[in-house]
Amino acid sequence: MTKKGRRRSPEQIVRAIQEGEAMLAGGKSEAEVFQKLGVSEGTWNRWKNQYGGMKSEEAKRLKELELENRRLKELLAEAELDKRMLKEIAEGNF
């Protein structure tokens, strides 16, 4: 039986990394830390690469910026599509 995954907020991830680092510094093994946090080694490494060294506020701001960037890209794609359609209509190629 597999454990259903859950999404964690950037703040929760940063806190989990800090907690895990403290446990590792306290002499716990990686396996114990991963089990306590309920994550796999791959998840831990991905979190460390993405959020390592960040504070909770910085991680939250990063997620907000990523979301804003995605929205802006979608708006740009829609605008470019509208521009292309208007150009084709103006040329009579419809």
Side-chain angles (χ1 to χ4, degrees), residues 50-68:
Q50 189 170 5
Y51 296 104
M54 281 190 186
K55 295 179 182 166
S56 292
E57 306 85 43
E58 293 170 335
K60 183 177 181 180
R61 182 68 180 140
L62 174 66
K63 279 295 184 186
E64 290 171 356
L65 289 172
E66 288 173 346
L67 181 60
E68 181 182 2

Side-chain angles (χ1 to χ4, degrees), residues 8-46:
R8 297 186 188 183
S9 70
E11 298 88 0
Q12 291 172 326
I13 293 171
V14 170
R15 280 193 298 269
I17 291 172
Q18 291 170 347
E19 182 182 340
E21 291 292 337
M23 286 190 280
L24 288 170
K28 295 219 178 204
S29 71
E30 286 186 343
E32 291 173 321
V33 171
F34 300 155
Q35 185 175 13
K36 171 78 172 144
L37 297 176
V39 299
S40 68
E41 184 177 358
T43 299
W44 173 260
N45 290 331
R46 183 169 25 87

